[in-house]
Amino acid sequence: MAVITSTMMAYPLTLAHLLERAEKLFGPVEIVSRLPDKTLHRYTYADFVRRAKALAEGLQRLGLAKGDRVGTLMWNHYAHLEAYFGIPAAGGVLHTLNLRLHPDEIAYIVNHAEDRFLLVDDVLVPLLRQFEDRIRVERIFVVPLTGQAVPEGYGDYEALLAEATGDFSYPELDENDPAGMCYTSGTTGRPKGVVYSHRALVLHSFAAALADTLAVSHRDTVLPVVPMFHANAWGLPFAATMVGAKQVFPGPHLDSESLLELFEREGVTFTAGVPTIWMDLLRYADERHPDLSSLRMVICGGAAVPLALMQAFEERHGVRVIQAWGMTEMSPLGSVARPPAGLPADEHWRLRATQGRIVPLVEARIVDDDGNELPWDGRSVGELEVRGPWIARDYY
């Protein structure tokens, strides 16, 4: 009997492919960032790719080895996007640090991850100095967002990029190589590290682009309110780059007035964040009546979303707020509440109030204390177990 073997190419799923695709296809697409002084920084995908590769080259020149961790203490902006791709492109591991944690916890996380280098916003240097004497890193580079000189004793991020020759070449990357890292506080003990592979991040990006999940596409203007230092930014920087969407970053300005001004000015079509953000935005929108006609979808997660909030946005402002669920350990997308078309109104809203359907390639079940699977009947309560190609197997 003849044995049939696969004739498919062994093509690694790495972030390098996403970066190269962005360079070839989306060069003129804009990336906009609100800086600490509230001015807007604008450049294109072509600029972003060039600078991400310059960062990768600079890190390699510093001796970065495959698997070395590079920490980022940064808000949402263009330089953080460069780090999202430049660090993995060099073979390193992007380690986003939650700037809202206590300095003692940040120091613990930096040391536990054994970060070799740190990239820090200049406006966050005062935070850095609260724990700097307790961490073990080789070099710290400051991103000069405010135009002020980089403080003495730190490397200059812009100078690091300016030294690049442009002769960058990727190291040999395997799709199972680590590309990103994020710590989760969980419910017990010290924060625990979750390591994302190139393969996981690429597949997660495809999941975010599916029509029945987030439907992120080239036609979108994406503004992630969810911090890039938390829960993998819900995978949005990777997904948006893969499809070539215009990206808009709010920087440190997450107040309702600043966000709504960006929505209107930049024609934002897709945004994502936690319920507390949207509760205040609803209050502000009810008072000021901004033009939100460009927004096709708001993804809300991190806590249960009140049904009244979703209905108010839709009925009073024509904005669809969709609930989604996930975890840092899941990269994080796990389910999205997008009911099928044609349902009666009461059934539609009943389903919108749930966590929705599990997304493709993720499997989920509920088990009892003995590990027996419980029925999907809407009443059974037990431990939730999930598995899939972007779900963590264990902690770092």
Side-chain angles (χ1 to χ4, degrees):
M1 178 183 292
V3 176
I4 297 177
T5 59
S6 171
T7 58
M8 296 294 104
M9 292 181 180
Y11 188 81
L13 304 179
T14 70
L15 295 179
H17 296 306
L18 273 56
L19 197 60
E20 291 300 309
R21 185 172 195 268
E23 182 175 38
K24 289 182 175 68
L25 300 182
F26 309 125
V29 176
E30 199 172 31
I31 296 170
V32 183
S33 303
R34 174 156 272 159
L35 300 181
D37 66 359
K38 289 204 167 186
T39 60
L40 295 180
H41 173 280
R42 297 179 184 272
Y43 72 174
T44 65
Y45 268 72
D47 300 318
F48 149 62
V49 175
R50 174 180 53 79
R51 285 170 57 89
K53 289 183 177 180
L55 172 60
E57 182 186 334
L59 291 171
Q60 288 180 337
R61 192 169 57 250
L62 289 168
L64 184 81
K66 280 187 68 174
D68 282 349
R69 274 72 69 199
V70 180
T72 62
L73 193 66
M74 306 163 83
W75 289 102
N76 291 19
H77 51 66
Y78 67 96
H80 211 167
L81 183 66
E82 292 162 7
Y84 257 63
F85 283 86
I87 294 167
V93 181
L94 166 78
H95 177 205
T96 56
L97 296 165
N98 189 337
L99 57 88
R100 293 197 174 116
L101 295 178
H102 190 278
D104 291 345
E105 279 202 312
I106 301 176
Y108 167 80
I109 290 170
V110 170
N111 290 331
H112 187 269
E114 298 179 284
D115 289 339
R116 189 169 173 190
F117 305 109
L118 282 186
L119 307 180
V120 182
D121 286 351
D122 56 3
V123 292
L124 294 174
V125 169
L127 171 60
L128 169 69
R129 285 176 169 159
Q130 293 182 51
F131 62 85
E132 185 181 1
D133 61 344
R134 286 171 279 156
I135 60 175
R136 302 179 296 273
V137 296
E138 285 185 29
R139 295 284 302 278
I140 297 172
F141 292 88
V142 171
V143 182
L145 297 173
T146 63
Q148 302 298 314
V150 170
E152 188 175 350
Y154 302 114
D156 185 327
Y157 177 84
E158 290 297 334
L160 176 66
L161 269 58
E163 292 169 2
T165 65
D167 188 25
F168 168 73
S169 59
Y170 294 99
E172 187 175 339
L173 296 173
D174 184 275
E175 64 178 22
N176 294 308
D177 285 341
M181 190 177 198
C182 194
Y183 274 68
T184 174
S185 297
T187 54
T188 59
R190 290 282 205 170
K192 295 171 282 293
V194 178
V195 179
Y196 309 115
S197 68
H198 282 263
R199 178 176 183 267
L201 295 175
V202 171
L203 289 173
H204 188 274
S205 299
F206 274 96
L210 291 172
D212 289 328
T213 60
L214 311 185
V216 177
S217 82
H218 179 60
R219 292 174 288 279
D220 277 315
T221 295
V222 177
L223 190 156
V225 180
V226 56
M228 294 171 77
F229 55 75
H230 175 70
N232 198 34
W234 297 0
L236 292 174
F238 298 117
T241 300
M242 182 181 78
V243 300
K246 176 181 174 180
Q247 299 185 58
V248 179
F249 296 106
H253 305 291
L254 303 181
D255 60 283
S256 295
E257 181 178 6
S258 296
L259 289 174
L260 286 168
E261 193 272 336
L262 274 181
F263 291 168
E264 286 188 284
R265 180 198 292 263
E266 303 302 326
V268 172
T269 64
F270 179 98
T271 184
V274 297
T276 50
I277 289 286
W278 309 125
M279 289 175 186
D280 193 63
L281 273 168
L282 176 63
R283 175 198 58 77
Y284 190 90
D286 284 344
E287 293 174 359
R288 304 296 180 91
H289 305 288
D291 180 7
L292 300 178
S293 59
S294 66
L295 271 176
R296 69 167 180 86
M297 187 186 296
V298 171
I299 293 294
C300 196
V305 184
L307 181 59
L309 176 70
M310 293 188 280
Q311 290 175 325
F313 261 113
E314 201 149 324
E315 293 166 1
R316 300 206 289 268
H317 301 284
V319 173
R320 197 172 196 207
V321 177
I322 295 295
Q323 186 162 206
W325 169 81
M327 303 170 68
T328 304
E329 293 89 339
M330 299 173 65
S331 301
L333 190 59
S335 68
V336 182
R338 299 189 67 183
L343 293 176
D346 58 346
E347 180 65 4
H348 172 87
W349 284 111
R350 184 188 72 79
L351 292 174
R352 287 276 294 277
T354 71
Q355 300 305 309
R357 287 193 177 110
I358 297 295
V359 301
L361 300 184
V362 173
E363 297 179 20
R365 67 182 184 183
I366 301 173
V367 299
D368 62 21
D369 292 341
D370 297 320
N372 301 308
E373 186 170 1
L374 298 172
W376 290 48
D377 57 10
R379 296 185 302 274
S380 298
V381 176
E383 292 289 331
L384 178 64
E385 296 182 342
V386 292
R387 68 178 182 181
W390 55 79
I391 314 299
R393 182 181 63 240
D394 48 32
Y395 292 109
Y396 173 71

